[in-house]
């Protein structure tokens, strides 16, 4: 049987499963505290945020709802162009809701900036952002980031939702990708 993941494609583990679990629990408590008298609506951005959004939702403990959006950005494969196309929009209107956008990673910040504008235009009661990871030296430092799990160096990473050609999202840790 072929080993999974291939040992030559997974480098240093930057964040272990236990570290993710602990940090997600902290973020859940923080959000629950900040939303004490609210029912926040988590909006997970497909596909990378799926594992994080599911774990974060459990960690919040109190009443919480979830919806998802799917977006695709144009441009070359390694760099976001800032032009974002909505592939799947929200199922329900968010006017009057307390929205928390949930991402797996902020890189240039362009996707999150676009999504903030898109949600804000719908008249929510509030919009906050939450990302498990942010790459150091991101291009748009002005991007609003209310809850952050970890800052990581500018390496290409996989696991816990992050992929290479749709693979490795199910790894329980965040590791440096060392494949081709
Ligand atoms: C990743 C990530 C963010 C975006 C961040 O999505 O999930 O949505 O890129 O990049 P930015 O800060 O430079 O805009 P990706 O396009 O890889 O899709 P996926 O979540 O389906 O893997």
């Amino acid at each position: 049987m072929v080993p999974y993941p291939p040992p030559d494609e997974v480098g240093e583990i930057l964040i272990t499963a236990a570290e993710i679990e602990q940090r997600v629990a902290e973020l859940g408590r923080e959000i629950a505290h900040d939303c004490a008298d609210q029912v926040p609506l988590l909006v997970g951005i497909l596909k990378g945020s799926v594992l994080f959004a599911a774990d974060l939702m459990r960690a919040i403990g109190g009443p919480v709802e979830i919806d998802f959006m799917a977006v695709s950005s144009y441009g070359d494969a390694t760099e976001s162009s800032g032009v974002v196309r909505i592939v799947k929009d929200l199922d329900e209107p968010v006017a009057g809701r307390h929205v928390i956008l949930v991402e797996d990673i902020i890189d240039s910040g362009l996707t999150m900036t676009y999504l903030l504008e898109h949600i804000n235009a719908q008249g929510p009661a509030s919009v906050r952002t939450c990302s498990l990871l942010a790459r150091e030296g991101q291009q748009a430092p002005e991007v609003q980031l209310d809850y952050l799990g970890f800052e990581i160096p500018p390496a290409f990473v996989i696991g816990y939702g992050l992929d290479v050609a749709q693979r490795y999202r199910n790894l329980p840790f965040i590791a440096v990708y060392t494949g081709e």
Side-chain angles (χ1 to χ4, degrees), residues 46-48 80 103-111 163 169:
L46 297 171
K47 301 173 188 171
S80 177
E103 270 285 21
D104 54 340
I105 187 164
I106 305 278
D107 194 356
S108 69
L110 294 169
T111 303
D163 72 310
R169 293 193 199 271

Side-chain angles (χ1 to χ4, degrees), residues 45-49 71-73 77-82 84 103-113 115 135 138-139 161-163 166 169:
I45 311 307
L46 297 171
K47 301 173 188 171
S49 76
V71 298
S72 76
S73 60
T78 52
E79 231 169 276
S80 177
S81 62
V84 175
E103 270 285 21
D104 54 340
I105 187 164
I106 305 278
D107 194 356
S108 69
L110 294 169
T111 303
M112 190 61 108
T113 299
L115 289 168
R135 229 188 282 276
Q138 56 175 266
Q139 318 232 315
L162 291 113
D163 72 310
Q166 304 303 326
R169 293 193 199 271

Side-chain angles (χ1 to χ4, degrees), residues 92-141:
E92 304 281 339
V94 294
R97 299 297 310 266
H98 293 281
V99 176
I100 303 178
L101 287 165
V102 179
E103 270 285 21
D104 54 340
I105 187 164
I106 305 278
D107 194 356
S108 69
L110 294 169
T111 303
M112 190 61 108
T113 299
Y114 175 86
L115 289 168
L116 273 166
E117 272 176 37
H118 177 75
I119 298 291
N120 266 320
Q122 299 172 42
S126 67
V127 189
R128 278 167 284 185
T129 62
C130 178
S131 183
L132 179 73
L133 307 174
R135 229 188 282 276
E136 283 166 12
Q138 56 175 266
Q139 318 232 315

